[in-house]
Amino acid sequence: ASDASRLTLEQALAENENSTDDFFVANFLQGELTGDAEGGGHIAPIAAYDSEKKRALIFDPDREWYEPYWVSTAALAKAMATPDNLSKKNRGFIWIKLRAATKP
């Protein structure tokens, strides 16, 4: 992953960490983070971001094998900068932000 990609990720995570109206989901190559040789494409929510240590807490839904774990933003950006086998496009993240309700 490029430095620009890592920086974009860190800025988004920092903004997300300061808000209660949004959440973050990462799509990444699991084996890049866990060392699992069979760890293919994986989707997991990011539960927290430590801007001082530049790391993210992944709430892995594969609870049979993994507890939540911290990874560096450099490692996460690298795991996201891998091509999906089906689409051949790089993985990434989804950042869902709630909008303020509008009055009728």
Side-chain angles (χ1 to χ4, degrees), residues 1 9 13 23 28 33-35 57 65 68 71 89 99 102:
L9 174 64
L13 286 168
F23 61 97
F28 56 92
L33 301 181
T34 64
L57 179 61
W65 298 101
V71 298
K89 295 181 181 179
R99 288 190 291 175
T102 57

Side-chain angles (χ1 to χ4, degrees), residues 12-89:
L13 286 168
E15 188 176 328
N16 169 256
E17 188 68 15
N18 290 321
S19 174
T20 59
D21 295 329
D22 60 345
F23 61 97
F24 221 86
V25 178
N27 179 350
F28 56 92
L29 187 60
Q30 186 180 30
E32 286 284 330
L33 301 181
T34 64
D36 183 351
E38 295 186 23
H42 201 60
I43 297 174
I46 303 297
Y49 174 60
D50 181 340
S51 61
E52 198 172 293
K53 294 183 179 179
K54 305 284 189 220
R55 63 186 188 157
L57 179 61
I58 297 185
F59 265 15
D60 200 310
D62 188 359
R63 296 305 301 270
E64 183 176 343
W65 298 101
Y66 300 103
E67 293 291 321
Y69 52 91
W70 288 96
V71 298
S72 71
T73 53
L76 181 56
K78 181 180 175 191
M80 289 191 306
T82 56
D84 173 76
N85 291 338
L86 185 61
S87 72
K88 306 299 183 209
K89 295 181 181 179

